[in-house]
Amino acid sequence: MGQVFVRIDDRLIHGQIVTAWCNTLNVGEIIAIDDNLAQNPMLQSIVIMGVPKQYHPSIVTTEKAKELLQTETQKNRLVITRFAKNIAELKEFYPTFEHINLGNCSKQDKTAYTLPSGAGRNLSLTEDDMQVLNEAATLGCKIICQLLPTDKMRTWAQMTSNI
């Protein structure tokens, strides 16, 4: 059975994902979760245009992501969504996630927390994002921040120690 890696990154699929993370994690499938983008075939094609077919990229709704995650595969999967709060509906799969990696989390309208990422940037999270991540951590998910595979990894405990 393949491994499932989750990344929270408001850019969804971009160059670092394709050139660094997919290779490092030996990814065979990219599942980007974005309910709005999944309804727009033209924008989907633009987002995945530069992704090599070997990664089998798809942009799906949360419901479709649940279906895909229930399907067994030997391939490692990289699940990407824009905001931590978007994985709240995937609780049943938390035990199968190798880790949840906080990538680029830009400031949002309702940003309540700004956490140090350890990579010279800050992570902006809403109350909903924090609630989801705290719950995931309580349920045993390893939550990390690592923008690139070559960057130092920071744990959830390190990022939230001053809150």
Side-chain angles (χ1 to χ4, degrees), residues 1 4 29 31-33 35 39 58-73 77 79 89-93 96-97:
M1 178 97 165
V4 179
E29 182 179 10
I31 302 170
I33 303 172
D35 289 346
Q39 306 303 320
S58 59
I59 300 172
V60 299
T61 63
T62 305
E63 287 305 313
K64 182 65 177 177
K66 287 181 188 181
E67 288 176 32
L68 291 172
L69 289 171
Q70 288 174 1
T71 307
E72 288 191 27
T73 181
R77 291 174 163 156
V79 176
E89 294 181 48
L90 302 178
K91 283 181 201 169
E92 65 197 84
F93 301 102
T96 65
F97 296 164

Side-chain angles (χ1 to χ4, degrees), residues 53-125:
K53 299 296 181 217
Q54 73 195 47
Y55 299 128
H56 303 280
S58 59
I59 300 172
V60 299
T61 63
T62 305
E63 287 305 313
K64 182 65 177 177
K66 287 181 188 181
E67 288 176 32
L68 291 172
L69 289 171
Q70 288 174 1
T71 307
E72 288 191 27
T73 181
Q74 295 303 311
K75 298 175 185 174
N76 287 348
R77 291 174 163 156
L78 179 58
V79 176
I80 307 172
T81 190
R82 293 182 195 273
F83 308 106
K85 61 189 171 202
N86 294 349
I87 63 165
E89 294 181 48
L90 302 178
K91 283 181 201 169
E92 65 197 84
F93 301 102
Y94 287 176
T96 65
F97 296 164
E98 291 299 313
H99 63 248
I100 298 172
N101 183 357
L102 303 177
N104 198 56
C105 298
S106 298
K107 189 170 182 167
Q108 304 172 54
D109 288 340
K110 295 182 179 182
T111 292
Y113 299 93
T114 303
L115 306 179
S117 71
R121 294 188 176 135
N122 292 322
L123 303 171
S124 298
L125 302 171

Side-chain angles (χ1 to χ4, degrees), residues 12-29:
L12 285 180
I13 304 171
H14 54 88
Q16 290 175 350
I17 297 297
V18 175
T19 62
W21 284 108
C22 286
N23 188 42
T24 299
L25 300 175
N26 194 28
V27 168
E29 182 179 10

Side-chain angles (χ1 to χ4, degrees), residues 6-17:
V6 177
R7 181 160 173 104
I8 311 297
D9 193 322
D10 56 21
R11 301 167 293 176
L12 285 180
I13 304 171
H14 54 88
Q16 290 175 350
I17 297 297

